Amino acid sequence: MRAVFDSLGAGVFVIDLAGRLTTANPRARHLLGRSGEELLGSDMHDLLHRGPDGGTVPRDRCRLLSVLDDDRPNEGSEEFFLRGDGGLLPIIWAATPLRHDGATEGAVVVFHDFSLHRDIAEQTAAHLAALEELTARLSMVAEVSSVLISTMDTSDMLNRLAGLLVPDMGDWAAIDVRTPGQTGELRRVAVHAPGDHAAARSLRGPLPPLPEASRSSVVRALRGAQPVVLDAAALAEPPRTPLDAAHRELFERLGGTSAVVVPLHTRRQVFGALTMARTAPGSSYSEAELLVLADLARRAGLVMEGAELFEQQRHVAETMQRQLLTPLPQVGDLRMAARYWPAQSAAEIGGDWYDSFLLGDGVLTMVIGDVVGHDLKAAAHMAEVRNMLRALAWDRTEPPSLIMRRLDEAMTHTSDAPMATCVFGRVEGQEGGPWQLHWVNAGHPPPLLITADGHTRFLEDGHGPLLGLSSALHMGLGWPNAHADLPPRSTLLLYTDGLVENRTRDIEAGLATLRRHGAALARRDIEEFLDELLARIGPGGDDVALLALRIPPERAGGEPSRQHAYSPAAADRGAPGASVEDTPVRDTSEPEQPGETTR
């Protein structure tokens, strides 16, 4: 038993009923740094027991001695023993009454060095705290990322970004951006601070130009694309340029003892700078926080670059489409009108077009079409198909089906344009007879005919395969010619599928809605008819093209009014028989608002 006592890996000592040490094993002597002579006979409490600060512990509060009073085991980990070298030994311990022949003669105390366990516990707590902080940062990054991609409005996105960063990353935030098209112009688009929101809003607006040379924090961030940390000394420096003074005003109005200016950038360019500040004395930004802010700023820069590219693509595509949507010919008493409703997303700009022109034999054409795709390439293909159709049709006096066949073969063999839908029609009228539409339909929604008394019907005939599928012709498919009378004062409407189909409405429901509203608007002026139709239907995100024809009323005596006889030679001389009147075209230099139509 003595060998067991001496070999234990834990410190063990025995005290008598008076609390004096009667024996101690080698491990106890080693942990306490004391010899057996120093320990034996000494009062355990007075010699060893100390508080966390090294001070003595009142004897009546000694939990180790309580075993002698209660005659029950006890244990704990919030105790300290005084070592022989004066150092404190944190211990985890257990004390048990020592009984002999039924009587308590003292207590046995077993203890371990708790410093290693305490270090592990502290490390674990530190790791947990770091993990919680990292989780919070990742959650914030995820929330910010969702905000960044939720809108294409850059100002709104940046304002929401500043709001999300306060107060987690600072007491206030401000964002300055370069003005598009102006290399030296800056504008403060967002300031977010708790409390006085009016004061924060008053700090927004134009900023002084970016100086050619300056060591200011904003300039260094915009020029170097690296975060710039500002401590109290840097903030105390006097401003040297008007831009420095405008940046200093943020700190004068909102306070701040430390700050960081982070560029909003991509690899190609810097779009602006984010300023984050803290107002508590002695506060600063850690390396980890700088990395988080730099990452968020880079993400914002990527979104801003994407928005810029979308706007460029939208502008190019819309400009191309508007250049191709030529003014409409107005022949005699026939009245035509058209609308182009641009897509609400730059990514949705595509291949919708309408067209109308006079053929060499004096016949008026009506065309509506849609090239597959919703991007700038689709718009380019649309231009290619439209121009091929014009070139193939204008000098030919042949049925629409042959024109469509020639267009399909041209697309297949001379163009990389993909599939397309199209309605191509000739509006013909002979003396003593009604106006007629002769047409073919290559996979497009059917034209809608609306009589003056509100009766409607879709012109379902003339259907054939989509353009660009010449293999269908080898299978015996083609485009049958169709014709229909156009009653006096009736309206013929050609449209693209964006009017009747979107992500929330199938085409059958859309056609029914179009038919209902078309009937209700049958007596409206042709221009008002199209405006009101678009307002009532409210197309979704896709672009929409509309082309409408109003047949004139019958003249007295029951004879329909007629277009003047047309000849190309007369048109060249400006003779009355070649009267052609163009409808007004909106100046496309003006910005379009969402849902605005273009005539």
Side-chain angles (χ1 to χ4, degrees):
M1 291 301 297
R2 184 70 189 184
V4 173
F5 181 74
D6 289 344
S7 301
L8 284 175
V12 182
F13 59 72
V14 180
I15 58 174
D16 60 17
L17 293 175
R20 292 187 299 271
L21 290 158
T22 61
T23 186
N25 74 344
R27 182 61 177 169
R29 295 195 297 270
H30 174 75
L31 290 175
L32 295 173
R34 298 176 184 271
S35 64
E37 291 79 7
E38 188 178 2
L39 291 172
L40 298 182
S42 300
D43 185 279
M44 183 274 299
H45 178 75
D46 293 342
L47 179 66
L48 301 178
H49 199 185
R50 295 294 183 269
D53 57 355
T56 58
V57 178
R59 197 174 188 87
D60 59 355
R61 292 172 53 190
C62 180
R63 297 176 60 195
L64 286 85
L65 293 178
S66 68
V67 175
L68 300 174
D69 297 330
D70 300 340
D71 200 29
R72 290 184 299 180
N74 201 355
E75 61 184 19
S77 60
E78 300 296 329
E79 308 292 342
F80 294 85
F81 282 160
L82 180 64
R83 288 174 46 86
D85 59 5
L88 290 178
L89 175 69
I91 62 168
I92 180 171
W93 58 275
T96 305
L98 177 61
R99 293 186 176 87
H100 183 63
D101 293 335
T104 300
E105 296 184 353
V108 178
V109 177
V110 182
F111 64 97
H112 288 276
D113 182 351
F114 191 59
S115 59
L116 180 60
H117 300 278
R118 187 176 61 176
D119 290 344
I120 294 175
E122 290 176 351
Q123 291 176 7
T124 301
H127 291 162
L128 289 175
L131 183 60
E132 290 177 356
E133 182 180 2
L134 178 60
T135 302
R137 292 281 184 265
L138 290 176
S139 298
M140 182 185 67
V141 170
E143 185 176 4
V144 168
S145 298
S146 65
V147 166
L148 293 178
I149 63 175
S150 64
T151 176
M152 294 300 293
D153 185 332
T154 300
S155 296
D156 178 59
M157 179 270 289
L158 294 176
N159 192 55
R160 294 168 66 183
L161 171 63
L164 287 174
L165 296 178
V166 177
D168 289 342
M169 300 300 293
D171 297 309
W172 57 261
I175 299 179
D176 306 330
V177 299
R178 295 176 183 266
T179 303
Q182 301 291 332
T183 57
E185 297 296 324
L186 293 173
R187 184 176 185 84
R188 183 163 295 141
V189 298
V191 179
H192 192 91
D196 190 354
H197 299 290
R201 286 194 297 270
S202 67
L203 292 167
R204 301 177 187 175
L207 296 173
L210 190 66
E212 290 295 331
S214 173
R215 294 298 299 164
S216 71
S217 55
V218 175
V219 174
R220 281 186 288 158
L222 292 175
R223 301 274 192 216
Q226 294 293 328
V228 178
V229 179
L230 302 177
D231 54 18
L235 292 174
E237 294 179 359
R240 299 178 181 177
T241 66
L243 181 59
D244 293 344
H247 197 238
R248 174 60 55 84
E249 187 180 4
L250 287 169
F251 296 89
E252 294 174 349
R253 298 276 294 276
L254 304 176
T257 57
S258 64
V260 58
V261 183
V262 187
L264 309 174
H265 72 102
T266 64
R267 291 182 178 180
R268 298 198 307 168
Q269 60 182 315
V270 178
F271 294 92
L274 161 68
T275 301
M276 293 294 310
R278 286 177 172 151
T279 58
S283 60
S284 63
Y285 281 90
S286 66
E287 192 68 29
E289 290 174 323
L290 292 178
L291 290 175
V292 170
L293 288 172
D295 179 66
L296 294 178
R298 181 184 60 82
R299 292 168 185 254
L302 290 172
V303 173
M304 295 173 73
E305 183 177 61
E308 185 177 86
L309 292 175
F310 270 136
E311 284 304 313
Q312 291 175 359
Q313 175 174 303
R314 184 188 188 95
H315 176 72
V316 170
E318 284 194 15
T319 300
M320 178 185 295
Q321 287 176 319
R322 295 186 194 287
Q323 291 298 320
L324 293 171
L325 302 178
T326 54
L328 302 175
Q330 301 287 1
V331 180
D333 294 332
L334 293 172
R335 289 291 174 262
M336 298 188 74
R339 297 289 185 272
Y340 174 67
W341 179 292
Q344 302 306 302
S345 167
E348 293 296 326
I349 286 183
D352 291 28
W353 93 93
Y354 65 80
D355 199 5
S356 180
F357 53 95
L358 292 173
L359 297 175
D361 58 359
V363 171
L364 179 69
T365 63
M366 294 182 68
V367 182
I368 197 84
D370 185 2
V371 173
V372 172
H374 292 90
D375 53 20
L376 186 56
K377 182 180 289 187
H381 285 148
M382 175 269 286
E384 187 178 9
V385 174
R386 168 195 176 272
N387 290 335
M388 282 195 295
L389 177 57
R390 278 195 162 215
L392 291 170
W394 83 272
D395 63 343
R396 298 182 181 275
T397 58
E398 55 191 18
S401 60
L402 295 183
I403 301 295
M404 198 62 65
R405 177 183 290 273
R406 294 177 189 276
L407 178 60
D408 179 75
E409 291 175 347
M411 286 179 60
T412 302
H413 299 294
T414 68
S415 167
D416 62 349
M419 295 181 295
T421 66
C422 179
V423 172
F424 173 72
R426 295 165 52 101
V427 180
E428 302 182 13
Q430 300 296 330
E431 293 294 339
W435 289 98
Q436 288 187 330
L437 175 69
H438 295 257
W439 83 96
V440 290
N441 187 332
H444 199 83
L448 178 64
L449 180 62
I450 309 164
T451 63
D453 56 3
H455 287 83
T456 62
R457 71 182 179 99
F458 288 110
L459 304 183
E460 303 280 2
D461 298 331
H463 265 282
L466 277 68
L467 294 169
L469 294 176
S470 285
S471 58
L473 299 180
H474 300 300
M475 299 171 61
L477 301 176
W479 297 276
N481 290 296
H483 70 275
D485 291 344
L486 304 177
R489 295 186 298 166
S490 64
T491 303
L492 177 64
L493 177 67
L494 277 60
Y495 53 92
T496 55
D497 60 355
L499 184 68
V500 294
E501 186 178 22
N502 56 43
R503 294 179 179 88
T504 61
R505 180 177 59 195
D506 62 50
I507 192 168
E508 294 300 328
L511 290 172
T513 300
L514 172 61
R515 193 168 188 169
R516 183 174 69 255
H517 290 307
L521 300 170
R523 295 183 179 273
R524 300 287 184 94
D525 172 79
I526 189 69
E527 302 283 353
E528 186 181 355
F529 171 86
L530 290 182
D531 288 337
E532 187 64 23
L533 186 65
L534 284 170
R536 292 189 180 191
I537 293 180
D542 202 355
D543 50 344
V544 176
L546 301 176
L547 180 62
L549 172 70
R550 177 65 53 82
I551 303 301
E554 288 184 341
R555 290 178 174 175
E559 181 182 347
S561 60
R562 280 288 168 266
Q563 69 188 79
H564 296 293
Y566 177 83
S567 72
D572 292 339
R573 295 192 303 269
S579 173
V580 178
E581 179 183 1
D582 292 342
T583 56
V585 178
R586 178 181 297 276
D587 180 3
T588 57
S589 64
E590 297 178 0
E592 290 288 326
Q593 300 298 322
E596 184 176 351
T597 59
T598 300
R599 297 183 180 180

